[in-house]
Amino acid sequence: MSRFLHIADIHLGIRRYNLPDRTNDFFRAWQEVIERYAIGRRVDFVLIAGDLFDRRNVDPQAANHAMIMLRKLEAARIPVLVIEGNHDSHEFTSRFSWLRSFSQWGYIKLLEPEWTDGTPSLTQWNDVEARGSYIDIGDARIFGSIWFGTTIGQALPLMSEAVRQNRREGATNIMLLHSDIEGQVNRPVQNALSLSKLSLLRGAVDYLALGHTHKKFDIEEWAFNPGSLEACNVDEVEAERGAYIIETDGPRLKIEFVSAGADYFQRPFKRIEYQIDSLDEPDQARQEIFEFLREQCAKDEEDDLKKPIIELTLRGQLAFKNSLLRLDKLKEQAIEELRPLGLIINNKTIPKQLAVALGLGRDTPRSERELKVIEDIIRPDPRFGHRAQEFAALIVEAKRLALEGESPEKILRLIEDRLFQAAAEHEQAALAEGAD
Ligand SMILES: [Mn+2]
């Protein structure tokens, strides 16, 4: 029987949004998870499935943050098995990397397959050389891998075959993998590992310890992805994430998941919106947004650990040039006077002259939407505005003819006819009015 902690995507040293305190949040999450669930539960080993660090050029503070907990794990005699992620992988032009150095110094064991002529060969961990591709701890055998990036599709069948040949029968065979998985990515990616290729590993390992996607998921209670320990960006805030504590008994697994926020430290985010319409003067607009922020900040917890990071999204129509709003000034003033832990401002306003086709429902057909957009663009023009609807229809018709391959001359004639016809009618109407 063995018990282990599986985490991934710790991202120590994160600098996203330029929030200097944010990197401490990531340390706090890492610290609590290691203290409570690795040392507190006396696990046999810890798995880190990639992205321990936010960048391959680890900065001194991030190295300290890693070392503080790695030394505690060392004192508790808990080995830490690590693979590279896309954020902290080595450079192809160098055989040195910080993860390799940490491994050489004995604080982690970086498990890497060796590649020669496009095929992987796996070697057992050698304590003297401090290198190897897999390691035996108790009744578990743990295999590492590397960040495959765009080559994952070709590399995975080779890897799974190599692992199959080196599995230890009777043991719990575990593999670490940092990769996008088909069906689990929110953004468009080309290199997600297909489920059919992933299933090749199924016969080779009993537990697949995944990393890379920053939200929790599992595939058929066999491949597990805990998600990042903290939220790396605002869009990740809502996603469930945390750590797995696994107990194995041969091929049988007992799975426990501890959740960010509920079971260990997580920084709260407060996402607020401000509607900017009807403010015509930049300084006044900035002041009103500031007052709104002041009210919002007054409601926040005083306790530094509970204070939220604020994400303010500005919406609506702007009657003046975007740059006149001087959001940098707003931010400076807010940080100085309101002292939020972090402030992220998103400007989603649109210039008034581009605010077209507003108020159309989601189910408005495309053709109707198109007509309305064109009409709204024509309307402010004093030459054509009074016949916006008519000319919008004309433009759509000209487009239809062009798409049907009609000759340019014929399309031009149609436009001229309608324009002159319109002008003539307009003139007549004006004359008739004058005659009254
Ligand atoms: Mn990551």
Side-chain angles (χ1 to χ4, degrees):
M1 207 207 77
S2 33
R3 185 185 304 136
F4 63 89
L5 174 74
H6 167 198
I7 52 178
D9 299 277
I10 329 294
H11 286 267
L12 294 175
I14 193 158
R15 291 187 208 163
R16 191 90 189 236
Y17 305 123
N18 261 326
L19 305 175
D21 294 331
R22 186 72 180 130
T23 185
N24 292 325
D25 292 345
F26 280 64
F27 170 66
R28 201 165 284 121
W30 154 247
Q31 180 186 35
E32 280 193 13
V33 166
I34 293 301
E35 269 167 7
R36 288 189 197 171
Y37 305 112
I39 298 168
R41 299 284 186 90
R42 306 157 134 256
V43 296
D44 298 301
F45 52 90
V46 173
L47 303 180
I48 299 180
D51 287 357
L52 170 60
F53 295 108
D54 190 60
R55 54 189 62 228
R56 68 160 63 99
N57 295 322
V58 175
D59 57 47
Q61 189 190 21
N64 283 341
H65 283 166
M67 281 305 291
I68 292 168
M69 299 322 294
L70 290 175
R71 291 171 81 152
K72 288 197 173 172
L73 287 164
E74 186 192 36
R77 297 176 178 277
I78 299 172
V80 183
L81 314 170
V82 178
I83 58 167
E84 291 182 342
N86 53 315
H87 280 259
D88 53 13
S89 63
H90 69 280
E91 236 157 332
F92 287 106
T93 49
S94 167
R95 57 191 185 84
F96 296 100
S97 78
W98 283 114
L99 285 180
R100 285 177 178 170
S101 294
F102 278 99
S103 187
Q104 285 292 311
W105 301 331
Y107 293 107
I108 60 174
K109 296 182 199 309
L110 182 68
L111 299 175
E112 296 184 284
E114 273 170 45
W115 289 77
T116 33
D117 303 327
T119 34
S121 57
L122 308 185
T123 55
Q124 186 148 19
W125 182 261
N126 179 318
D127 258 328
V128 179
E129 289 179 27
R131 59 190 295 156
S133 327
Y134 61 88
I135 189 168
D136 287 338
I137 298 176
D139 60 5
R141 172 165 287 190
I142 304 117
F143 294 87
S145 60
I146 51 168
W147 164 247
F148 292 111
T150 55
T151 62
I152 181 84
Q154 294 94 328
L156 197 97
L158 302 169
M159 263 312 284
S160 57
E161 188 47 39
V163 169
R164 190 188 304 276
Q165 280 167 18
N166 287 281
R167 49 175 279 128
R168 177 158 67 110
E169 292 311 326
T172 307
N173 290 274
I174 298 168
M175 180 175 157
L176 292 151
L177 181 66
H178 194 80
S179 176
D180 277 318
I181 307 292
E182 176 192 349
Q184 301 295 342
V185 272
N186 312 324
R187 65 214 136 79
V189 282
Q190 287 151 5
N191 308 312
L193 182 61
S194 70
L195 290 176
S196 62
K197 283 207 171 133
L198 185 73
S199 71
L200 293 174
L201 283 172
R202 183 132 205 196
V205 297
D206 309 297
Y207 183 96
L208 185 64
L210 291 167
H212 188 51
T213 307
H214 290 183
K215 61 164 189 186
K216 176 208 176 201
F217 68 86
D218 72 83
I219 294 166
E220 294 170 2
E221 298 238 318
W222 157 76
F224 292 86
N225 188 81
S228 52
L229 282 193
E230 245 283 10
C232 291
N233 64 56
V234 192
D235 295 325
E236 288 176 12
V237 169
E238 324 293 343
E240 191 179 18
R241 73 186 79 81
Y244 286 108
I245 303 150
I246 307 289
E247 267 182 34
T248 67
D249 186 4
R252 272 198 304 280
L253 303 171
K254 194 178 144 235
I255 293 135
E256 184 188 349
F257 182 75
V258 291
S259 200
D263 301 311
Y264 67 89
F265 172 83
Q266 199 72 181
R267 174 66 58 190
F269 274 72
K270 188 156 99 178
R271 313 184 76 172
I272 50 178
E273 290 200 356
Y274 188 79
Q275 194 74 22
I276 210 167
D277 299 317
S278 80
L279 298 172
D280 300 339
E281 208 273 312
D283 289 334
Q284 180 208 350
R286 189 169 55 250
Q287 205 44 45
E288 295 206 11
I289 301 167
F290 180 78
E291 289 310 322
F292 170 72
L293 264 176
R294 188 203 297 281
E295 275 167 39
Q296 291 292 327
C297 287
K299 296 180 204 155
D300 291 341
E301 291 262 3
E302 281 301 307
D303 182 350
D304 263 0
L305 290 181
K306 291 182 182 157
K307 230 175 168 177
I309 290 176
I310 294 172
E311 184 207 41
L312 169 67
T313 302
L314 303 175
R315 291 192 192 278
Q317 298 172 38
L318 220 53
F320 44 86
K321 245 176 97 183
N322 215 325
S323 56
L324 293 176
L325 199 51
R326 292 297 304 272
L327 292 176
D328 54 335
K329 245 171 133 179
L330 172 71
K331 198 166 176 178
E332 211 171 274
Q333 190 189 2
I335 286 171
E336 209 176 288
E337 293 181 37
L338 310 176
R339 307 207 162 274
L341 191 102
L343 175 62
I344 301 160
I345 303 180
N346 281 329
N347 187 359
K348 295 254 170 86
T349 58
I350 42 173
K352 250 195 185 129
Q353 68 271 23
L354 291 185
V356 292
L358 297 173
L360 289 187
R362 274 183 166 278
D363 46 354
T364 308
R366 196 191 151 96
S367 56
E368 208 174 299
R369 198 177 286 269
E370 182 184 33
L371 207 57
K372 188 79 176 74
V373 167
I374 298 170
E375 198 184 312
D376 286 357
I377 291 172
I378 298 172
R379 202 175 297 286
D381 189 317
R383 296 168 301 167
F384 309 111
H386 58 295
R387 282 170 185 247
Q389 213 174 348
E390 188 185 333
F391 288 143
L394 174 61
I395 287 168
V396 169
E397 197 181 341
K399 178 191 153 193
R400 183 181 58 81
L401 291 173
L403 287 175
E404 282 171 3
E406 196 54 82
S407 72
E409 293 77 20
K410 198 168 169 193
I411 299 173
L412 186 63
R413 209 173 311 129
L414 169 84
I415 295 173
E416 280 175 347
D417 283 354
R418 292 277 183 88
L419 275 178
F420 292 137
Q421 184 195 340
E425 276 170 19
H426 190 62
E427 222 163 88
Q428 257 173 16
L431 279 175
E433 236 170 74
D436 267 349

